[in-house]
Amino acid sequence: MRTVLMTSAALCLAGAASADTLSFRVLGQPVGSGLIQQQVEQPFFEGLAAASGMDATFDYLPVDVAGIPDNDGMRVVRTGLFDIVSFRGPQVSRDEPTMLGLDLVGLNPDYASGRAHAEAFLPTVSTAVESRFNARVLGVWPAGPQVLFCVPEITGLADLEGLKVRVGDQSAAAFVAQFGATGVPMPFGEVQQSLSRGVVDCAITGPASANSAGWPEVTTTVLPIALQLAMNGYVINNDSWAEMSPEQQTQLQTAMDGLIDQIWTYSEELYQDALNCNTGQQPCVHGTPYTLTAAPISDADLAAVASALVGSSLPAWTAQCNAVNPTCEADWMATVGTQLGL
């Protein structure tokens, strides 16, 4: 009898220890979006428990493998279906317009300015996400400078007149409309086939993502002028966050901060390499070599992108964002606007 009692006690203790192990479901970036997902994000989450020292499991699933549209990220984390979501900023900005203030067309011509502007406006984004989606922002990072890929040969932005252009968000749609093009929102996974079938004539994404998804197989020209940085990031459901002890919260946030820093660096490394790969230049280390024609970047096109912030993307965004978040424009002007001297 004593042996039976001791065994029962041991089983109870084991059950209690097991109950203390946290379990997180993680919805990741699309596999087809490229090397950041494949080489950095997925390995990070698969090794996160061991690397962070957390008594936890992380079940990672890319959004395209899960069969969930990539513009549903914020709704997914609000429902608690997944505890942590790797969101795609341009796509989810339709649900949370405040997000787009991190990366309006013409705002972030390079990585340094992008990081400074993101850090300035992120507290405003975090407040909006917490109030509307019951979630906490763990950090944001850039997919990389967003450029134009076209099926018809183009020599500059003026050639977009009359074309249908896949865009990631409303800011990009407002920009291409200046040149007589129609912006078409579309999930990333549908773009390559849509270009092939003529559903859209051009599409905007980063060179590395385009390379991984095979866009150069169905296009002829790339205009390598950076319109945006495509800010993505991570959110965790507040209820899941509250289940952790303060020590576990610190462990997770510290690990996520390291991942964010790593992606900022890796994204910049990939950018020039992918430009080379897409146009058949060397060095091409990380991607598949293609033979796209790189359209020349004119002073007029550079000026158009630079002036787009005040001329089109900022007015279009503030009208939409203020309707959801009444202090949106004022918060942006007090942070990013101050940095820019507006």
Side-chain angles (χ1 to χ4, degrees):
M1 178 64 70
R2 182 181 178 186
T3 301
V4 171
L5 290 173
M6 289 178 66
T7 302
S8 298
L11 288 172
C12 288
L13 288 171
S18 177
D20 290 337
T21 300
L22 297 170
S23 178
F24 297 94
R25 296 194 70 200
V26 182
L27 187 67
Q29 293 285 308
V31 172
S33 64
L35 295 176
I36 291 176
Q37 184 279 331
Q38 297 163 18
Q39 300 296 322
V40 181
E41 181 181 275
Q42 183 164 345
F44 169 83
F45 281 107
E46 290 176 344
L48 177 54
S52 66
M54 293 180 66
D55 184 12
T57 61
F58 295 87
D59 183 13
Y60 178 89
L61 191 64
V63 65
D64 48 352
V65 176
I68 297 173
D70 59 8
N71 57 0
D72 283 352
M74 303 312 296
R75 282 172 260 174
V76 167
V77 76
R78 180 170 56 191
T79 65
L81 178 63
F82 285 82
D83 304 283
I84 298 173
V85 170
S86 178
F87 66 82
R88 295 171 65 74
Q91 284 75 15
V92 303
S93 67
R94 293 178 179 83
D95 283 338
E96 182 44 69
T98 312
M99 192 82 69
L100 193 53
L102 298 167
D103 193 35
L104 298 164
V105 171
L107 175 61
N108 300 318
D110 52 53
Y111 282 86
S113 59
R115 187 140 204 186
H117 297 150
E119 290 175 356
F121 196 59
L122 191 56
T124 300
V125 173
S126 298
T127 299
V129 167
E130 182 149 8
S131 64
R132 299 188 64 230
F133 294 95
N134 188 37
R136 177 187 182 91
V137 178
L138 296 170
V140 296
W141 50 268
Q146 302 292 284
V147 301
L148 268 163
F149 294 83
C150 289
V151 176
E153 294 184 8
I154 64 169
T155 59
L157 293 171
D159 291 340
L160 296 179
E161 184 174 2
L163 301 183
K164 300 184 294 295
V165 182
R166 180 265 182 176
V167 296
D169 57 47
Q170 302 91 323
S171 178
F175 177 73
V176 299
Q178 293 179 234
F179 301 93
T182 301
V184 181
M186 183 180 295
F188 183 83
E190 299 176 12
V191 178
Q192 204 262 11
Q193 190 173 69
S194 295
L195 286 165
S196 177
R197 293 181 174 180
V199 176
V200 292
D201 304 293
C202 302
I204 299 171
T205 195
S209 294
N211 189 281
S212 294
W215 289 18
E217 296 173 6
V218 295
T219 55
T220 66
T221 310
V222 57
L223 178 60
I225 184 170
L227 305 180
Q228 296 166 280
L229 284 181
M231 291 292 183
N232 299 327
Y234 300 102
V235 287
I236 183 170
N237 180 278
N238 273 337
D239 298 333
S240 303
W241 178 261
E243 290 178 3
M244 292 186 283
S245 67
E247 179 185 5
Q248 291 169 327
Q249 291 173 348
T250 299
Q251 287 175 311
L252 178 60
Q253 186 63 68
T254 299
M256 296 303 299
D257 289 345
L259 172 62
I260 296 295
D261 286 341
Q262 182 182 0
I263 296 179
W264 273 93
T265 299
Y266 188 57
S267 174
E268 191 164 5
E269 292 173 359
L270 287 178
Y271 177 62
Q272 185 59 52
D273 185 75
L275 284 177
N276 290 343
C277 292
N278 290 336
T279 56
Q281 306 299 309
Q282 293 295 330
C284 170
V285 177
H286 300 291
T288 301
Y290 290 103
T291 56
L292 290 182
T293 298
I297 300 175
S298 68
D299 290 341
D301 284 350
L302 286 172
V305 174
S307 63
L309 177 63
V310 175
S312 63
S313 59
L314 182 58
W317 170 68
T318 53
Q320 180 195 27
C321 192
N322 287 345
V324 176
N325 177 359
T327 66
C328 188
E329 181 178 4
D331 292 337
W332 191 91
M333 291 300 295
T335 53
V336 180
T338 298
Q339 288 186 347
L340 296 172
L342 297 179

